[in-house]
Amino acid sequence: MKALNVLLFDGFTTMDALGPAEALSRALDGELKCYEIEYFSATGGLVGGSTSAKIWTRKLSEIAKFDVLLVPGGFAARELAHDGEFIAALGELSRRHEYVIAVCTGSVLLAKTGLLDGVEATSNKLSWQWATSEAPSVRWVRAARWCVSGKFYTSSGVSAGIDAALGFIADMHGRDEAQRIAVTMEYVWNSDKNADLF
Amino acid sequence: MKALNVLLFDGFTTMDALGPAEALSRALDGELKCYEIEYFSATGGLVGGSTSAKIWTRKLSEIAKFDVLLVPGGFAARELAHDGEFIAALGELSRRHEYVIAVCTGSVLLAKTGLLDGVEATSNKLSWQWATSEAPSVRWVRAARWCVSGKFYTSSGVSAGIDAALGFIADMHGRDEAQRIAVTMEYVWNSDKNADLF
């Protein structure tokens, strides 16, 4: 079983994190779950987001397996993009993980680490000007539901994270598995990553 | 500001609760949020669900404002449907709230209170036979993304909860507001409640 480590911070968008987590939680290898999901934050403890749901987290320093990192966005991203300590920690984590999925303005946080310089990425369309101006060395793709650049998956806003997670599952476990999961979620998968919907 | 009270229990489906909560958290009256969202469970404390996210809850007895109740489903619903104490508490809460939104197999829990007897409701299509057999007095509607029967909103599986929440917002605050929220979530709203997608 691979580790899916979800990085939370106060002011994250709940669905950026938990929509993709819901999809990934359903990935199966035979009867076994593919991903063991844990939640982490800089200081550990309860972390609150857009829906006022407070989620229990462990400290980042307690991450033991570096398989897949999930990074949500949120209104706090505008401040965190300029928080050197946070960006340095995210950069180290992102280098160590085998894959990174960054949703919505989470892709801007990932971009601030420099790891997306010169490669394709996308982000929230409502924050597009801010997102792209924060990291001008990224090859930002507007007409994308999500982008894949090597180990980095970046998605458009909020719900697009579910589409990207299903895309990740399709790449890792096959398209049939992604489609099966979409059906269990009664979710209409926007499965063309190059189709910009917003 | 109205209270949106989310009823959680161990083994709930994370997105059943937090997808609709994400949509409702964005409803605005001018610049003010329409809903103050709080999370409750029978015993209070941390409650875990499908994504392994543990969410902090207060005790049901601490609910002070009875505006909107949100009831998710989940694998635990099969057991809870036969938990007399839980169903009695849900019945009392549902009677006291002005509106109830029940998602996925959450609608079966609501049905077990008897409050849906003789009225239209829907539920998860993958658990359809179980759902309908648990509460045969409900007028179950298979060809529905969600149903509205007076103050009771019931939805199909998981993602359909977001559609129902947007439908609720359309009914309460106008269709433009629902559409605006869908755009901020970059979500393709399945806005026809009578269109069964699964």
Side-chain angles (χ1 to χ4, degrees), chain A residues 126-147:
Chain A
L126 289 183
S127 305
W128 191 251
Q129 191 165 4
W130 171 75
T132 55
S133 66
E134 280 289 343
S137 300
V138 176
R139 286 167 53 201
W140 292 107
V141 182
R142 194 182 167 98
R145 187 69 171 163
W146 76 91
C147 285

Side-chain angles (χ1 to χ4, degrees), chain B residues 76-148:
Chain B
R78 287 181 188 246
E79 200 169 311
L80 283 175
H82 296 275
D83 178 334
E85 200 173 338
F86 179 87
I87 297 300
L90 175 59
E92 193 200 330
L93 283 173
S94 299
R95 271 184 289 273
R96 293 187 71 178
H97 278 75
E98 197 176 350
Y99 292 97
V100 181
I101 304 171
V103 176
C104 194
T105 51
S107 69
V108 179
L109 299 176
L110 180 58
K112 295 297 276 188
T113 67
L115 289 166
L116 298 180
D117 283 0
V119 304
E120 292 189 345
T122 195
S123 186
N124 189 315
K125 300 302 153 52
L126 288 183
S127 305
W128 191 250
Q129 191 166 5
W130 170 75
T132 54
S133 67
E134 281 288 343
S137 301
V138 176
R139 286 167 54 201
W140 291 108
V141 182
R142 193 181 169 98
R145 187 70 172 163
W146 75 93
C147 286
V148 185

Side-chain angles (χ1 to χ4, degrees), chain B residues 5-85:
Chain B
N5 300 320
V6 185
L7 170 59
L8 299 184
F9 44 81
D10 277 312
F12 77 102
T13 294
T14 302
M15 211 171 110
D16 285 5
L18 295 176
E22 184 71 53
L24 288 154
S25 73
R26 292 164 185 250
L28 296 176
D29 180 7
E31 293 189 352
L32 296 176
K33 284 180 178 286
C34 296
Y35 299 99
E36 182 177 17
I37 310 178
E38 287 199 89
Y39 298 81
F40 296 91
S41 67
T43 55
L46 290 172
V47 174
S50 56
T51 60
S52 307
K54 288 187 176 62
I55 296 174
W56 182 255
T57 61
R58 296 169 63 198
K59 286 184 190 175
L60 290 180
S61 56
E62 295 177 47
I63 295 180
K65 288 177 66 186
F66 295 82
D67 298 315
V68 185
L69 180 68
L70 175 60
V71 184
F75 64 83
R78 287 181 188 246
E79 200 169 311
L80 283 175
H82 296 275
D83 178 334
E85 200 173 338

